[in-house]
Amino acid sequence: MTQTSNGSELAATINSIIAEHKTLEGPLLPILHASQQALGYIPSEAVPMIAEQLQLTKAEVHGVISFYHFFRSSPAGNNTIQICRAESCQSMGSRELEAEIKQRLKVDYHQTTADGEITLEPVYCLGNCACSPAIRVNDDIHGRVDMNKFENIVDELLTVAVELKL
Ligand code: FES
C-alpha cells in the first residue's frame, strides 16, 4: 500500500485504475477497492473523476464510499487499532472499552490521532472470541483487553515510533 502525495501522480494512478476496471459489470466497487489498495485511501479528488467516467453523480460515488466503513477518505495513521464490536466481545464489555479507548485517543472510529500515529477502526469478530474483549493492533490480536492492557500496548507502539524517529 503506497501513498502518493503528488497531485498529477495521484490523478494518473486513479485514471489508470478507472481505465482498468470501467468495463467490468458493476465497476464502482472494484475501482474503489483498487484505489484504496493503491493509495491507502480514496482521495476526494477521485470522486469527480470516477463519477464522470462511470456517468454517476458525485453524490452517488460519495454515498457508496461513506456507506462502506472499509473505505477511508483520508490517509490512515502509522498504526491501526481495531476494536471488536461483535457479540462475544460485547458481552464481555467491549462497548465500555471502546468508549474509554475513544476518550483516551481523542478520536472516533475512522479517525486518526492528532499525532498521526493511530487510526481507530471497528471490526466484527477477530476470531478470538474465547478471549473477549479483543482488539487488533496492526497485525497482532490481543485478547482480554482492559484499559491497563490497552495503555501498555499504546505505550509500546508510541515508544517504538519515537525510537524509529531518533
Ligand atoms: S466476537 Fe470479538 S473476537 Fe469474536
Side-chain angles (χ1 to χ4, degrees):
M1 189 162 64
T2 56
Q3 289 180 7
T4 310
S5 53
N6 179 298
S8 58
E9 214 178 307
L10 190 77
T13 303
I14 295 163
N15 268 329
S16 90
I17 289 169
I18 295 171
E20 193 182 330
H21 296 86
K22 78 185 264 198
T23 54
L24 295 176
E25 198 171 323
L28 180 54
L29 283 175
I31 287 171
L32 295 177
H33 278 287
S35 300
Q36 180 148 311
Q37 175 83 22
L39 303 165
Y41 71 113
I42 300 169
S44 56
E45 299 92 310
V47 173
M49 294 168 71
I50 296 169
E52 189 186 332
Q53 292 283 323
L54 300 189
Q55 299 185 332
L56 297 168
T57 65
K58 287 184 271 185
E60 284 169 323
V61 176
H62 182 72
V64 172
I65 294 168
S66 50
F67 179 79
Y68 292 102
H69 285 166
F70 169 79
F71 294 128
R72 299 179 197 288
S73 296
S74 54
N78 295 327
N79 302 282
T80 301
I81 296 182
Q82 296 179 313
I83 305 174
C84 180
R85 305 191 85 201
E87 209 168 299
S88 169
C89 286
Q90 273 196 41
S91 72
M92 294 302 287
S94 68
R95 285 297 167 106
E96 293 78 7
L97 181 69
E98 77 177 7
E100 287 181 299
I101 289 175
K102 285 177 181 179
Q103 203 169 19
R104 160 69 176 80
L105 298 179
K106 299 188 178 63
V107 292
D108 202 343
Y109 282 132
H110 312 296
Q111 293 180 348
T112 300
T113 52
D115 60 4
E117 287 297 338
I118 298 171
T119 297
L120 191 65
E121 301 282 358
V123 69
Y124 296 88
C125 196
L126 291 164
N128 195 38
C129 316
C131 299
S132 297
I135 68 172
R136 175 160 54 206
V137 181
N138 299 323
D139 293 330
D140 299 326
I141 294 175
H142 301 262
R144 299 198 175 91
V145 178
D146 58 17
M147 276 313 279
N148 271 343
K149 193 165 181 176
F150 183 77
E151 289 294 351
N152 290 336
I153 291 167
V154 169
D155 281 350
E156 200 174 314
L157 270 185
L158 298 184
T159 305
V160 170
V162 167
E163 282 170 359
L164 286 174
K165 284 173 190 161
L166 286 176

